[in-house]
Amino acid sequence: MRANIVVLPGDGIGPEVTRAAVAVLDAAARGNGGYHFTFSEHLIGGAAIDACGEPLPAATLAACKGADAVLLGAVGGPKWSDPNAAVRPEQGLLGLRAALGVYANLRPLRVHPRLAELSPLKTERLDNVDLLFVRELTGGAYFGAKTRTDLAATDECRYTVAEIERVSRRAFAFARLRRRQVTHVDKANVLETSRLWRSTVDRVAREFPDVKLEHQLVDSMAMLLLSRPSAYDVIVTENLFGDILTDEAAALAGSLGVLPSASLGDGKAGLYEPIHGSAPDIAGKGLANPLGAILSAALLLRHSLDMEHVAQDIEAAVDAVIEAGALTSDLGGTASTDQVTAAVLDRLGTGQTRVAA
Ligand code: NAD
Ligand code: IPM
Ligand code: MN
């Protein structure tokens, strides 16, 4: 099987972690006869602004639209963060998500026992934590009309029934493959969009009578995620709430650096990126944790290329590397990005111990 994978390293630690993920994908293809991956790198974010003045150049978008899957590092950083800037790196990422129609952002989270001790929570609270966030990715306040004058600003939050239906159907469908429980998170006591979400999710739930649905307000959910995280299975929510809750939940897993994501639309192609950002504070130092990007590569194999067995091999290799204590400094270790990547490649049995430059 041939697959055309577009790689968008982006900014900050983006290039460091995508290099690790590409090395793992390359090893996975070579270690499993019959697969041939073509990687092509393109500009996005601040790097693209510097090179050609726009965060999502036409050539990048065209390549992504023609790809079987897109692997992205991160965009943004202090260089491009002036609140009055006319153009921002993040616009490139949002434009790409919208143009690819990847409305369902999956953010799975499990807690490795070895990392549980790093959590500020009591370790027994972390037993059996196995969450799947399904974050709506192409609507809400991120994409509504924006206004700004010297004295006021607005971000419109708009959702259509169709947008809510398609993402919640995905959440229920994934719940069927898991523990058959969906928690929908909103702010229905205040927001009209949330009330539309609530009634639409209730209606979609009738198509899945074997799946249990509960609604939870986002403010109390922020607390419940930390006090009884093992009580939840699939958590579906709108764009902004999903962004915030998943970074919060990363504290359960030990570091923002280990969480992957898959962004899916109606077709097979998808956009894969770790949930963390460009981490300007550690960029260029070899300190970035590559596991979020490597696990995103595993999701790419699972969801876009139907290579479930190889995805599981990669996830098992990552677990083994954590177990063996090859950890970057965000997880209390001393290993570099390349050392962790080499350890994963070793566990995959490729015999390759150095990351190709
Ligand atoms: P961040 O996720 O970049 O960093 C938050 C903290 O987590 C930092 O201390 C950082 O060092 C640490 N961290 C993050 N990833 C890590 C990793 N892989 N290994 C070790 N430590 C890691 O969030 P921020 O500082 O709020 O944002 C920085 C920039 O990144 C902003 O411009 C923001 O817009 C952008 N951002 C981009 C994406 C994306 O491209 N998908 C996601 C989030 C933030
Ligand atoms: C994420 C990021 C992005 C988001 C930013 C960089 C636009 O925080 O992927 O979680 O808010 O979606
Ligand atoms: Mn985020």
Side-chain angles (χ1 to χ4, degrees):
M1 192 187 99
R2 305 183 83 78
N4 161 19
I5 300 172
V6 165
V7 181
L8 306 176
D11 307 318
I13 62 169
E16 301 168 49
V17 300
T18 45
R19 198 162 66 98
V22 167
V24 169
L25 283 173
D26 203 33
R30 281 186 289 104
N32 291 273
Y35 292 105
H36 183 76
F37 295 165
T38 313
F39 300 99
S40 60
E41 234 178 66
H42 289 270
L43 291 168
I44 194 166
I49 293 175
D50 288 353
C52 54
E54 45 183 344
L56 181 60
T60 299
L61 182 55
C64 291
K65 283 190 163 169
D68 295 303
V70 179
L71 178 73
L72 183 138
V75 298
K79 182 176 178 189
W80 309 279
S81 290
D82 177 349
N84 294 312
V87 59
R88 308 179 61 87
E90 291 81 359
Q91 290 166 341
L93 177 56
L94 298 180
L96 180 63
R97 290 170 177 171
L100 295 179
V102 287
Y103 57 83
N105 179 226
L106 313 184
R107 296 184 164 193
L109 187 157
R110 282 191 194 154
V111 184
H112 191 289
R114 164 119 196 185
L115 301 183
E117 65 207 46
L118 291 177
S119 167
L121 302 181
K122 292 194 176 75
T123 48
E124 60 267 26
R125 283 201 188 169
L126 296 169
D127 288 345
N128 305 313
V129 172
D130 181 1
L131 302 170
L132 175 65
F133 288 90
V134 181
R135 170 190 175 194
E136 200 291 325
L137 200 63
T138 54
Y142 277 67
F143 291 93
K146 295 178 186 299
T147 69
R148 166 103 173 257
T149 68
D150 285 346
L151 297 177
T154 64
D155 297 279
E156 182 190 34
C157 180
R158 181 172 191 276
Y159 269 109
T160 65
V161 168
E163 286 172 322
I164 302 166
E165 280 177 352
R166 64 185 181 178
V167 72
S168 44
R169 277 200 188 101
R170 292 299 275 268
F172 280 99
F174 279 111
R176 272 193 171 152
L177 305 173
R178 299 167 48 96
R179 302 195 307 283
R180 295 176 184 257
Q181 189 192 322
V182 169
T183 304
H184 164 244
V185 179
D186 66 18
K187 186 73 185 168
N189 51 347
V190 176
L191 300 177
E192 206 54 57
T193 41
S194 283
R195 291 189 276 270
L196 185 68
W197 267 82
R198 212 171 255 226
S199 52
T200 305
V201 171
D202 275 335
R203 205 172 50 248
V204 169
R206 285 186 222 130
E207 299 166 22
F208 300 84
D210 52 321
V211 178
K212 183 171 166 281
L213 169 68
E214 65 170 352
H215 300 283
Q216 193 67 57
L217 295 172
V218 64
D219 45 357
S220 56
M221 187 68 196
M223 179 276 296
L224 291 166
L225 257 182
L226 301 184
S227 56
R228 48 177 192 121
S230 61
Y232 301 97
D233 178 14
V234 174
I235 298 172
V236 65
T237 190
E238 63 121 271
N239 203 343
L240 182 59
F241 297 160
D243 180 44
I244 298 168
L245 290 179
T246 50
D247 267 34
E248 182 197 0
L252 303 169
S255 166
L256 201 46
V258 300
L259 262 63
S261 87
S263 303
L264 307 177
D266 287 327
K268 260 324 222 184
L271 169 65
Y272 299 86
E273 43 174 324
I275 84 158
H276 63 72
S278 59
D281 51 337
I282 57 164
K285 298 180 180 163
L287 295 174
N289 190 331
L291 296 181
I294 289 171
L295 291 170
S296 299
L299 295 180
L300 184 159
L301 298 176
R302 169 171 297 132
H303 294 290
S304 284
L305 304 184
D306 288 326
M307 293 172 68
E308 175 62 33
H309 60 293
V310 191
Q312 286 183 20
D313 286 349
I314 293 171
E315 288 164 348
V318 165
D319 278 348
V321 163
I322 294 172
E323 187 58 45
L327 305 173
T328 42
S329 55
D330 53 314
L331 295 174
T334 55
S336 67
T337 309
D338 286 355
Q339 285 169 335
V340 172
T341 307
V344 174
L345 292 170
D346 268 352
R347 296 280 171 173
L348 279 172
T350 61
Q352 182 183 339
T353 50
R354 264 179 305 162
V355 186

